[in-house]
Amino acid sequence: MAAHITKHGRLTAGRSHSTASTTLITVAPTGAESAKADVPQLPTTLDELVETAVLCEQAGASLIHLHIRDGEHRPTLDRGLLRASVEAVRESGDLIVQLSTGGSVHDPLEQRLTVLDAEPDSCSLTCGTTNFGDDVFVNPWPFVVELYRQSIEREIVPEFELIDLGHVQALRRLLGQEGLPFGGKVHVDLVTGVPGGMPGSPAALLAAVALLPEEVTSWSATGIGRTHLPILATALGAGGHLRVGMEDNLIFAKGRPVQHNEELVARAAQIATVLQRPPMSTAQARELLNVKRRHAS
Ligand code: KMH
Ligand code: ZN
């Protein structure tokens, strides 16, 4: 559900879509921030990624957001590894395969554009620069526009990552200037609780949702670290979808580290089901996002 604030200050439901009766669960299993040495259960090898994809799909996920690691478990944007990972995960089941174009904070912009060469179903597209802990996650406007244009040309559905309230406005500008994405659906992921971005609080999430452009057809939310459960609950209550995974959160409960991404997906699916918003199938997710059907070559 998108909502809008009128010039009279009233909150109104968006015209473009209604509250979903099922939940899209995205799993972000790895990320680029945690070291394998610190978190041995982090899936970093191709075999681990495939096993994660299979178990998370069974647990209720329908989309996987992938970051790839090299033989030393370090983040990489190596073309061959990206393509091999997309194909291996695609062959293992029916998850929508989304590649991160954010990479790590150290990846050069030009190399981040080459991620699209691996022909994922979807790609992340962060709508602005933000402080990222002690680092800076760089997304200058010309890069955002170029990545968006290339995603359209290559028929890859972008997921707009909004880490700060200013990114919501940048998305409005992008859609106004460049038009709709490939497939015509506008799916947003509100990433809350990044140190430097909007806080992982229900109030911040709802403020961002209220400001989403009319073109938005679906949104999900994630909360970094300990914010993940309050954000999950708020997103479900407000009609949004979910992203969970070890990219965003390594603690399952107080004193209990996450042992496998599947646990996070299964818990999200359970809560969503209790709230009468059970996980959607991969077929429903493909329809929601209107991704192009691609087959592993
Ligand atoms: N690793 C962060 C610097 C994305 O995947 O597009 C960026 C990130 C966002 O994770
Ligand atoms: Zn990511």
Side-chain angles (χ1 to χ4, degrees):
M1 179 207 68
H4 307 278
I5 297 173
T6 67
K7 65 181 175 190
H8 306 295
R10 281 197 304 273
L11 196 63
T12 62
R15 287 194 304 268
S16 50
H17 54 105
S18 55
T19 300
S21 58
T22 52
T23 304
L24 169 77
I25 300 179
T26 295
V27 61
T30 309
E33 281 68 44
S34 297
K36 184 80 164 179
D38 298 334
V39 190
Q41 66 275 35
L42 194 72
T44 53
T45 68
L46 194 50
D47 285 350
E48 288 167 347
L49 275 183
V50 167
E51 188 247 12
T52 295
V54 170
L55 292 181
C56 288
E57 184 177 345
Q58 283 168 10
S62 44
L63 193 160
I64 189 164
H65 168 87
L66 285 180
H67 288 251
I68 305 305
R69 302 292 178 102
D70 66 14
E72 252 95 67
H73 311 285
R74 291 175 306 215
T76 180
L77 295 181
D78 177 87
R79 266 169 208 263
L81 285 177
L82 284 169
R83 188 173 276 278
S85 305
V86 168
E87 292 187 358
V89 172
R90 207 172 259 153
E91 272 171 12
S92 75
D94 195 41
L95 290 177
I96 296 171
V97 182
Q98 178 182 95
L99 278 182
S100 165
T101 62
S104 93
V105 288
H106 308 294
D107 289 322
L109 295 175
E110 313 77 58
Q111 209 187 352
R112 284 168 52 193
L113 288 173
T114 67
V115 165
L116 302 188
D117 295 344
E119 297 183 70
D121 305 315
S122 171
C123 66
S124 59
L125 196 164
T126 303
C127 288
T129 294
T130 188
N131 283 320
F132 202 84
D134 293 346
D135 297 300
V136 179
F137 179 28
V138 179
N139 295 285
W141 179 249
F143 170 77
V144 170
V145 172
E146 182 58 27
L147 179 55
Y148 187 50
R149 288 182 181 164
Q150 289 199 21
S151 73
I152 293 171
E153 264 171 44
R154 290 154 181 256
E155 305 187 336
I156 295 167
V157 172
E159 174 181 286
F160 301 98
E161 309 292 341
L162 309 180
I163 304 178
D164 214 341
L165 222 45
H167 298 182
V168 181
Q169 195 59 14
L171 173 62
R172 187 183 300 279
R173 180 184 177 199
L174 187 67
L175 296 171
Q177 180 181 305
E178 303 290 323
L180 291 175
F182 171 74
K185 302 291 184 79
V186 180
H187 180 66
V188 161
D189 183 42
L190 295 155
V191 182
T192 69
V194 169
M198 65 179 134
S201 67
L205 176 63
L206 294 175
V209 170
L211 291 170
L212 289 175
E214 284 236 315
E215 293 91 335
V216 171
T217 48
S218 57
W219 62 272
S220 63
T222 190
I224 303 298
R226 68 178 60 193
T227 71
H228 80 282
L229 281 173
I231 289 297
L232 180 152
T234 306
L236 282 172
H241 300 279
L242 305 176
R243 170 172 133 168
V244 295
M246 292 174 75
E247 172 168 345
D248 300 338
N249 168 45
L250 295 167
I251 304 297
F252 189 79
K254 200 169 178 192
R256 153 93 152 81
V258 176
Q259 295 302 334
H260 196 289
N261 280 282
E262 179 201 14
E263 296 178 313
L264 294 169
V265 174
R267 179 168 63 181
Q270 193 183 11
I271 298 172
T273 302
V274 169
L275 293 179
Q276 306 299 297
R277 297 263 323 274
M280 67 176 60
S281 66
T282 52
Q284 288 171 316
R286 287 176 182 281
E287 202 180 319
L288 180 78
L289 306 185
N290 207 10
V291 295
K292 179 174 167 171
R293 180 56 84 170
R294 287 177 164 89
H295 298 284
S297 51

